């Protein structure tokens, strides 16, 4: 008989604990969403604050051009570093961010042979491509290259890290005779 009397007491306590636990998780997600999803927000903000590439290549400033995608985990990992660089150099550099999933940028993706992201291209103020980084890079590596971009007139150099996302053919935006139902 004693076990029957304990069971009703445990059930309300269990329900209260479960409701409290769910409430704590929801409140934590709300309070810390910017920290948890910061990289995704940064990538979206990059695209929104990007200098138009046509303007960037003609305004007599060096250009930082990044090809990225919001689904790319390496891009998300590098986003805080790139944001820091942008804050430090945006007065002297154009910062252009092109989402590889946007069909609008296909001509640039082909022109700069983008097949892995993130890909960062650094251009001097005359629009000459000086350096290409493919994949995950350390902030100091890119920062040092930015500092040197106008000092050295060397030919194009490519630095590849094996940590990158392979760019697949985007068939979602392809138009063909049967795509108009």
């Amino acid at each position: 008989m004693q076990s029957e009397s304990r069971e009703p007491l445990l059930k309300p306590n269990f329900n209260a604990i479960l409701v409290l636990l769910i409430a704590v998780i929801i409140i934590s997600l709300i309070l810390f969403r910017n920290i948890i999803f910061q990289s995704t927000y940064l990538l979206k903000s990059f695209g929104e604050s990007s200098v138009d590439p046509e303007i960037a290549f003609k305004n007599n400033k060096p250009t930082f051009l990044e090809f990225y995608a919001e689904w790319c985990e390496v891009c998300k990992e590098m986003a805080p570093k790139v944001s820091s660089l942008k804050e430090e150099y945006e007065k002297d550099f154009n910062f252009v961010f092109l989402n590889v999933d946007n069909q609008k940028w296909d001509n640039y993706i082909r022109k700069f042979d983008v097949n892995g992201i993130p890909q960062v291209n650094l251009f001097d103020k005359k629009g000459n491509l000086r350096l290409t980084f493919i994949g995950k890079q350390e902030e100091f590596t890119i920062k040092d290259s930015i500092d040197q971009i106008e000092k050295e007139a060397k030919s194009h150099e490519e630095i590849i890290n094996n940590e990158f996302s392979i760019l697949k053919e985007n068939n979602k935006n392809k138009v063909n005779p049967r795509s108009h139902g």
Side-chain angles (χ1 to χ4, degrees):
M1 277 229 175
Q2 279 187 338
S3 65
E4 290 176 11
S5 63
R6 283 187 193 170
E7 200 171 296
L9 286 176
L10 291 176
K11 195 168 186 174
N13 287 341
F14 178 76
N15 289 341
I17 291 170
L18 186 61
V19 168
L20 183 62
L21 183 62
I22 291 171
V24 167
I25 290 171
I26 290 171
I27 291 170
S28 296
L29 283 174
I30 291 169
L31 291 176
F32 298 110
R33 73 177 179 270
N34 287 342
I35 294 170
I36 295 169
F37 302 111
Q38 177 188 20
S39 295
T40 302
Y41 287 131
L42 281 173
L43 287 174
K44 285 184 181 192
S45 74
F46 289 163
E48 293 166 3
S49 68
S50 178
V51 173
D52 184 272
E54 292 299 318
I55 294 170
F57 292 127
K58 294 177 183 173
N59 70 1
N60 240 7
K61 286 171 65 174
T63 299
F64 175 103
L65 169 63
E66 179 175 356
F67 294 93
Y68 74 97
E70 292 176 16
W71 51 262
C72 170
E73 292 301 320
V74 180
C75 300
K76 290 178 187 177
E77 188 178 337
M78 282 187 57
K81 299 170 189 175
V82 171
S83 179
S84 173
L85 291 169
K86 184 177 184 278
E87 285 178 24
E88 184 174 347
Y89 291 98
E90 69 183 333
K91 291 177 185 168
D92 301 318
F93 259 75
N94 297 304
F95 278 82
V96 179
F97 300 94
L98 304 180
N99 187 332
V100 296
D101 290 331
N102 188 335
Q103 185 179 8
K104 175 179 171 180
W105 307 123
D106 281 348
N107 58 332
Y108 288 102
I109 292 167
R110 283 191 299 278
K111 181 178 181 178
F112 297 112
D113 197 26
V114 179
N115 55 21
I117 54 174
Q119 177 171 315
V120 173
N121 292 346
L122 296 179
F123 300 85
D124 63 19
K125 64 183 176 185
K126 294 179 182 174
N128 299 313
L129 180 59
R130 293 292 180 212
L131 195 61
T132 299
F133 294 101
I134 300 172
K136 182 179 174 183
Q137 303 294 324
E138 294 300 324
E139 182 179 352
F140 68 86
T141 304
I142 298 173
K143 182 178 176 14
D144 185 49
S145 297
I146 288 172
D147 289 338
Q148 299 298 319
I149 201 78
E150 291 299 323
K151 294 177 185 169
E152 298 176 24
K154 60 182 178 181
S155 61
H156 176 248
E157 182 181 351
E158 194 172 85
I159 299 172
I160 301 174
N161 181 313
N162 289 333
E163 289 185 59
F164 64 90
S165 296
I166 296 173
L167 192 60
K168 297 178 182 168
E169 186 71 28
N170 185 357
N171 293 326
K172 290 187 286 186
N173 297 323
K174 298 281 185 203
V175 178
N176 64 50
R178 295 183 185 186
S179 65
H180 302 288

